[in-house]
């Protein structure tokens, strides 16, 4: 049976690939983007199953309208994919209050808002699946991406809290953690208005790597993400976290090992002091 999807950030990259995969599979989807014309071809080819709607995730009224459209057109939402987001470059000292607020408004506050709007539908229908598109940066800090990393850490905290609060309502929650993908994400990452030369040695390689992501054959293709998320929605018991891409697994394994060792070392030191 076809599921009912609401996906944000679909104009390019991972979101666009996901909508294409869902359309091919005969799923019903409300695909949103700030520039809906980028999805016109999909709506034309799948007029009965793909609904395209303009959405600026920072606009509460527009968010409510999109959820209402999904409820009216398809009778509800089975899977919400909070995919819209962007990257703010810059070291902690460089990122201004305004730049930090904008990063969190898009990457954290907007997913929170949309999830809050969809939850009444899920309570009424007895369940649903919230998919939060995080990143390996949700667990692995990268120099020169302080604001982005902080926003993804916060997004994962939101998702984990939701999972505990709503499991009795039949709501499933998954944090997907993509590695490096060949998309326009890196090319569109914003630079801070204030630059501090002292951070250039650690920032420059990171920014250069981001700018080189699009079209890089060594990175994961967006179709891999689309297939993984589509399969995820079909699982009876989806995981709370799902890395996507071989590099994601490698990054996250190293981060977990480092944290585990640090915890063990600190705990052992404290026990030794207590015993002494």
């Amino acid at each position: 049976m076809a599921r009912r999807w609401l996906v944000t950030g679909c104009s390019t990259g991972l979101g666009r690939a996901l909508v294409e995969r869902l359309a091919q599979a005969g799923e019903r989807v409300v695909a949103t983007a700030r520039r809906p014309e980028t999805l016109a071809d999909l709506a034309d080819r799948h007029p009965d199953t793909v609904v395209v709607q303009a959405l600026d995730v920072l606009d509460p009224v527009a968010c409510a309208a999109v959820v209402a459209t999904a409820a009216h057109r398809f009778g509800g939402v089975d899977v919400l994919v909070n995919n819209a987001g962007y990257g703010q470059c810059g070291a902690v000292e460089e990122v201004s209050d305004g730049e930090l607020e904008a990063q969190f408004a898009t990457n954290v506050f907007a997913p929170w808002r949309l999830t809050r709007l969809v939850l009444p539908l899920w309570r009424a229908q007895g369940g649903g699946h919230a998919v939060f598109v995080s990143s390996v940066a949700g667990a692995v800090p990268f120099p020169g991406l302080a604001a982005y990393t902080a926003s993804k850490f916060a997004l994962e905290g939101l998702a984990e809290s939701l999972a505990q609060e709503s499991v009795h309502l039949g709501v499933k929650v998954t944090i997907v953690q993509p590695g490096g993908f060949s998309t326009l994400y890196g090319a569109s990452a914003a630079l801070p208005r204030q630059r501090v030369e002292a951070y250039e040695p650690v920032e420059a390689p990171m920014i250069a790597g981001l700018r080189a992501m699009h079209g890089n054959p060594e990175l994961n293709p967006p179709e891999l993400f689309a297939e993984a998320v589509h399969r995820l929605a079909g699982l009876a018991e989806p995981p709370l976290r799902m890395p996507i891409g071989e590099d994601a697994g490698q990054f996250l394994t190293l981060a977990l090992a480092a944290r585990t060792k640090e915890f063990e070392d600190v705990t052992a030191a404290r026990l030794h002091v207590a015993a002494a």
Side-chain angles (χ1 to χ4, degrees):
M1 183 177 178
R3 287 172 291 263
R4 302 164 299 182
W5 297 67
L6 172 54
V7 185
T8 66
C10 301
S11 60
T12 62
L14 303 184
R16 167 75 190 210
L18 176 58
V19 174
E20 289 181 345
R21 179 69 186 92
L22 299 178
Q24 291 169 3
E27 304 273 38
R28 294 174 289 174
V29 54
V30 175
T32 72
R34 285 186 297 175
R35 295 181 293 114
E37 65 274 11
T38 61
L39 299 168
D41 60 314
L42 279 172
D44 289 342
R45 282 184 278 129
H46 307 276
D48 296 327
T49 56
V50 176
V51 176
V52 173
Q53 188 158 337
L55 176 64
D56 178 350
V57 295
L58 302 182
D59 183 345
V61 174
C63 288
V66 163
V67 174
T69 295
H72 173 72
R73 183 66 182 269
F74 297 135
V77 175
D78 297 311
V79 186
L80 168 65
V81 182
N82 283 301
N83 172 66
Y86 76 98
Q88 172 66 57
C89 296
V92 169
E93 186 179 348
E94 294 177 315
V95 177
S96 68
D97 286 352
E99 289 165 336
L100 183 61
E101 289 168 2
Q103 180 74 113
F104 271 70
T106 299
N107 291 9
V108 183
F109 303 159
W112 193 309
R113 178 184 302 115
L114 280 161
T115 304
R116 186 176 62 231
L117 289 167
V118 171
L119 277 165
L121 297 180
W122 287 346
R123 287 193 287 106
Q125 68 192 34
H129 191 175
V131 178
F132 295 88
V133 180
S134 181
S135 163
V136 292
V140 183
F142 291 98
L145 281 177
Y148 180 75
T149 297
S151 74
K152 292 302 184 180
F153 269 67
L155 182 69
E156 296 201 7
L158 157 62
E160 288 206 38
S161 296
L162 176 68
Q164 295 186 27
E165 293 170 354
S166 60
V167 63
H168 69 291
L169 301 173
V171 175
K172 302 169 184 176
V173 178
T174 302
I175 303 162
V176 295
Q177 300 169 300
F181 276 78
S182 179
T183 69
L184 290 170
Y185 157 75
S188 61
L191 295 177
R193 297 183 189 88
Q194 173 187 330
R195 304 300 301 275
V196 179
E197 187 177 352
Y199 298 104
E200 183 71 12
V202 292
E203 279 189 309
M206 175 59 63
I207 293 173
L210 290 173
R211 299 302 193 225
M213 290 177 71
H214 182 54
N216 187 338
E218 296 183 1
L219 297 181
N220 301 297
E223 293 75 18
L224 173 66
F225 171 88
E227 183 63 27
V229 173
H230 185 225
R231 290 185 179 182
L232 170 71
L235 298 177
E237 296 295 335
L240 177 60
R241 279 186 169 79
M242 186 177 77
I244 303 180
E246 184 176 348
D247 59 327
Q250 294 170 350
F251 273 118
L252 295 169
T253 297
L254 290 173
L256 179 60
R259 287 195 174 101
T260 300
K261 183 179 185 304
E262 181 183 46
F263 175 77
E264 291 173 345
D265 290 347
V266 170
T267 302
R270 286 178 176 172
L271 290 175
H272 177 73
V273 169

